[in-house]
Amino acid sequence: MNKSRIGVFVCHCGLNIAATVDVARVVEAVRDDPGVAYAAEYKYMCSDPGQNMIKDAVREHNLDGVVVAACSPAMHQVTFRKTVAGVGMNPYRMESANIREQVSWVHQDDPERATLKAIETVRTIVEKVRRNEPLEPIAIPVNRRALVIGGGVAGLTAALDIADAGYPVILVERADALGGKMRQLSGTYLNFDAAPDMLAKRVARVQQHPHIQVLTSAEVMALEGYVGNFTVRVSCRGTARRAQGEPADRSDTPLPPLTPKSLSHRGRGDLKSPLRVRSPSPLSGRGGQGDEGEESFTFDVGAVVVATGWDSYPMAALAEYGAGEIPDVIDYLAFERMLAPGEAIRRPSDGRTPREVVFVQCAGSRDPANGVPYCSKVCCMVVPKQAMLLAERVPGAQAYVFYTDIRSAGKNYDEYVQRAMSERHVLYLRGKVSRLFREGDRVMVWGEDTLSGQAVEIAADLVVLATPLLAAEGARELAQRLRISTDAHGFYNEAHPKLRPVETLTAGVFVAGAGQGPKDIPETVAEASGAAAKALQLFAQDHITQEPTVAVVDADLCAACGACVEACPYGARSIHPVWHVATVQAALCQGCGACVAACPNKACSVRNWTPEQILGMADLYV
């Protein structure tokens, strides 16, 4: 081990540390320790003067290592590493000693022992820095092509945002047409009179965009690789369709045959051209065709946006409302189809126009015993829209809305609900439906208005249930293929609900729309643009860098037993087919250390967290 010249800088953090720990005593205790060439204290080390103090000390004392005793490394370790890098010192020779959260805050009742613990903590980190390697960040090239999974409004928005920035996009939709659930809506609330073809226009833009290739009747079957360099396998059922482009010079020259490489071709779309894909089998590079009626091919992409949307709650699961037994009990998507322009509002049983219609909110939502425990968010806005449209389309019709409470969070949302409540032909009843049954050609609805305390009985022509939004069918399986997680209900998990709302814990994979949880169109579109912005941020770089503190293997000790391969949660380990030793894909490794614990021969270690370092830190107090 080379002789080190380490600087120790102890932070007061105002009174967060200094109120409990004797900072001056810590500095004096470590000043003459082995490897320490300089020690000092300052009130706020993270401030500009504090960082300048570190820079000056590195230059004046020729320091090759720095320890900052302050708050958690999660707070400011990156800050201090940038500080030392600014004066030419390797940033991975800088470490943080946590004497705020792990010392001062948890030992406020015993300042003497807290000070002693702070001294020991600093000394152990100094010992670690003495053995730290001067590492360099790992540079990873970026493939500037995006994969968007899902052709609903979220997927369309993300694809257009990325493509409009000049980058190629592969859009994969499981259905045979684009548009998602929004295709089933008669219109949108707040601005119901907006252009009825706004979704169709967006679909047309996607299909005609020179940078977007559309695959319908297709599914993502596998994803391998890492951020900036994913390889994805897509399976097409029957005849898939895509926006096939004409040549860039817009001449009449026919397009070349479609192959995985030619899918990046940029041209305008011939929307009627069928797609028959016959290309290399998944990830292997060998040609072949899948099961009869299916063909598969691979792409290389740098980022993935997952926007698979939502599915309807099964009516058969709402037997307490007569769903599945009484034909005139439907869900609100079925009623949306009745409200579509040019369609007549007819009840299913006999085709008559309904004049007494009951809407039941929270039918299956917020009901852990008989449905789902969460709020589906959009119901409180969809129901007033449908009730007002009913009154407009069927003169003299009366709408009744049973509700528990109203959750109308959004700009002008509450005003919209109040507008519905003020309508003469829409009556809101605060209470739940207690019984629903058929009597003759009517549907009898029993309930209670809790505001008046009176029982309510309505002979309805039609009952519309506001059912829950579910995660899309197959979302869990897709999440496993993409190495992202889902919650208990099958919705995709974001990395952080407030600070990283469209990112997942798999770098380079982003989520948007109702596949992440119930949300309406404005929120979906905003989220999709956010996910696209994250992908564009990635594409703005020639290379991305990754922390070099990853696992390494001592080939002399490795027996190729494969224990580390099974233990790695990130798929970063494999056994080399020729050399028969474990290898590490550094771009996938997150430095968790699971392989270190699993290796029986101790051939695995994490750079700058080696057994020698850890034992050296422990030996100080043996």
Side-chain angles (χ1 to χ4, degrees):
M1 183 174 60
N2 295 331
K3 185 175 181 180
S4 298
R5 293 185 59 80
I6 299 170
V8 176
F9 301 87
V10 186
C11 181
H12 290 234
C13 196
L15 294 177
N16 279 292
I17 293 174
T20 304
V21 174
D22 187 338
V23 173
R25 185 174 161 194
V26 175
V27 172
E28 289 302 315
V30 303
R31 190 185 301 276
D32 298 322
D33 282 358
V36 177
Y38 179 79
E41 61 182 280
Y42 191 70
K43 192 167 185 178
Y44 293 106
M45 289 306 311
C46 61
S47 66
D48 287 343
Q51 293 182 58
N52 289 333
M53 174 190 288
I54 296 173
K55 292 178 180 178
D56 293 341
V58 171
R59 284 188 290 250
E60 294 171 11
H61 298 277
N62 195 27
L63 303 180
D64 63 4
V66 164
V67 173
V68 179
C71 55
S72 164
M75 290 290 293
H76 286 301
Q77 181 158 280
V78 172
T79 300
F80 294 127
R81 283 186 169 173
K82 289 180 178 178
T83 299
V84 300
V87 287
M89 198 187 94
N90 186 281
Y92 296 97
R93 293 273 299 165
M94 179 274 149
E95 296 282 352
S96 296
N98 187 348
I99 63 169
R100 188 179 73 171
E101 287 85 349
Q102 294 181 354
V103 179
S104 176
W105 284 359
V106 293
H107 299 296
Q108 294 179 22
D109 58 341
D110 197 340
E112 173 63 22
R113 294 187 67 186
T115 301
L116 293 174
K117 182 178 178 181
I119 293 170
E120 293 179 358
T121 299
V122 172
R123 282 175 169 161
T124 59
I125 301 301
V126 168
E127 187 66 22
K128 180 181 187 301
V129 171
R130 291 176 66 196
R131 291 175 166 84
N132 267 11
E133 297 179 70
L135 305 177
E136 294 295 332
I138 300 168
I140 303 172
V142 177
N143 185 320
R144 294 171 173 172
R145 176 196 280 173
L147 170 72
V148 176
I149 308 173
V153 66
L156 296 173
T157 301
L160 284 170
D161 284 359
I162 297 170
D164 284 346
Y167 298 104
V169 177
I170 307 298
L171 176 59
V172 176
E173 165 57 42
R174 183 170 61 179
D176 60 1
L178 299 177
K181 287 292 190 297
M182 193 172 171
R183 293 175 58 202
Q184 301 182 38
L185 303 185
S186 58
T188 59
Y189 46 74
L190 296 185
N191 57 342
F192 187 81
D193 295 328
D197 59 346
M198 60 181 179
L199 177 64
K201 288 181 177 179
R202 185 162 296 203
V203 169
R205 276 193 63 205
V206 165
Q207 291 176 320
Q208 296 173 11
H209 203 291
H211 299 330
I212 300 177
Q213 305 297 335
V214 179
L215 294 174
T216 56
S217 299
E219 290 189 67
V220 172
M221 304 307 296
L223 182 79
E224 293 188 2
Y226 46 87
V227 56
N229 295 270
F230 294 111
T231 300
V232 60
R233 176 165 60 94
V234 178
S235 175
C236 286
R237 300 183 304 278
T239 301
R241 294 184 180 273
R242 76 174 182 104
Q244 264 188 302
E246 64 189 29
D249 62 3
R250 304 187 182 182
S251 67
D252 294 328
T253 307
L255 286 173
L258 182 67
T259 67
K261 290 184 178 179
S262 71
L263 282 169
S264 63
H265 175 79
R266 303 175 183 182
R268 298 185 62 185
D270 171 10
L271 306 185
K272 298 180 180 179
S273 299
L275 170 68
R276 296 295 295 176
V277 182
R278 192 183 302 274
S279 54
S281 59
L283 314 184
S284 67
R286 293 190 298 272
Q289 188 171 352
D291 296 336
E292 185 176 355
E294 293 190 6
E295 295 166 299
S296 63
F297 51 94
T298 61
F299 302 108
D300 293 327
V301 299
V304 179
V305 177
V306 188
T308 54
W310 58 279
D311 275 343
S312 302
Y313 196 78
M315 290 289 284
L318 295 171
E320 67 268 28
Y321 294 102
E325 296 180 3
I326 304 174
D328 293 327
V329 176
I330 62 175
D331 67 10
Y332 59 170
L333 267 184
F335 196 60
E336 280 288 326
R337 291 189 285 273
M338 295 183 188
L339 293 171
E343 295 293 328
I345 300 177
R346 307 287 185 185
R347 67 180 195 169
S349 63
D350 55 15
R352 285 172 44 200
T353 299
R355 302 204 173 268
E356 303 283 330
V357 178
V358 171
F359 294 87
V360 181
Q361 295 197 173
C362 297
S365 292
R366 303 167 65 191
D367 186 356
N370 301 305
V372 299
Y374 54 82
C375 171
S376 289
K377 199 169 187 175
V378 302
C379 316
C380 288
M381 298 300 294
V382 173
V383 167
K385 178 197 79 172
Q386 293 185 338
M388 287 191 287
L389 277 175
L390 172 69
E392 178 184 312
R393 296 273 300 276
V394 182
Q398 178 66 52
Y400 305 88
V401 179
F402 282 90
Y403 72 100
T404 305
D405 50 38
I406 300 297
R407 296 182 172 185
S408 52
K411 183 179 180 181
N412 298 323
Y413 281 21
D414 191 59
E415 292 82 352
Y416 188 83
V417 175
Q418 293 300 322
R419 174 185 157 195
M421 288 182 168
S422 66
E423 289 274 344
R424 183 166 59 92
H425 297 294
V426 180
L427 177 61
Y428 270 73
L429 302 167
R430 189 176 188 276
K432 289 203 168 190
V433 172
S434 59
R435 189 182 174 199
L436 194 152
F437 59 96
R438 189 170 187 177
E439 188 173 282
D441 64 349
R442 310 296 289 274
V443 182
M444 303 303 297
V445 181
W446 289 1
E448 182 183 7
D449 181 359
T450 59
L451 294 179
S452 65
Q454 295 182 353
V456 177
E457 178 179 309
I458 301 170
D461 297 313
L462 185 69
V463 175
V464 181
L465 305 181
T467 55
L469 274 65
L470 301 182
E473 181 184 358
R476 293 182 191 273
E477 293 76 10
L478 178 62
Q480 292 176 351
R481 295 169 195 158
L482 302 178
R483 300 193 300 274
I484 62 177
S485 63
T486 58
D487 63 17
H489 311 294
F491 293 109
Y492 305 119
N493 282 328
E494 65 279 350
H496 192 284
K498 290 181 170 59
L499 302 180
R500 299 172 64 191
V502 298
E503 299 175 67
T504 69
L505 292 177
T506 297
V509 179
F510 310 105
V511 291
Q516 189 184 356
K519 50 181 62 74
D520 62 4
I521 293 171
E523 189 178 358
T524 292
V525 171
E527 218 173 57
S529 289
K534 286 293 182 181
L536 292 174
Q537 183 183 43
L538 182 64
F539 293 168
Q541 310 166 74
D542 290 328
H543 293 80
I544 55 176
T545 58
Q546 179 179 309
E547 288 291 297
T549 49
V550 297
V552 291
V553 177
D554 185 337
D556 292 335
L557 297 178
C558 180
C561 66
C564 61
V565 177
E566 295 181 5
C568 180
Y570 302 101
R573 306 303 296 259
S574 61
I575 302 299
H576 196 284
V578 176
W579 301 109
H580 302 292
V581 294
T583 61
V584 180
Q585 174 51 265
L588 289 174
C589 179
Q590 300 297 307
C592 69
C595 56
V596 178
C599 180
N601 287 4
K602 304 306 175 189
C604 297
S605 63
V606 175
R607 301 187 76 177
N608 281 351
W609 275 111
T610 63
E612 291 78 14
Q613 286 179 291
I614 296 169
L615 291 172
M617 296 162 71
D619 283 347
L620 292 174
Y621 303 101
V622 173

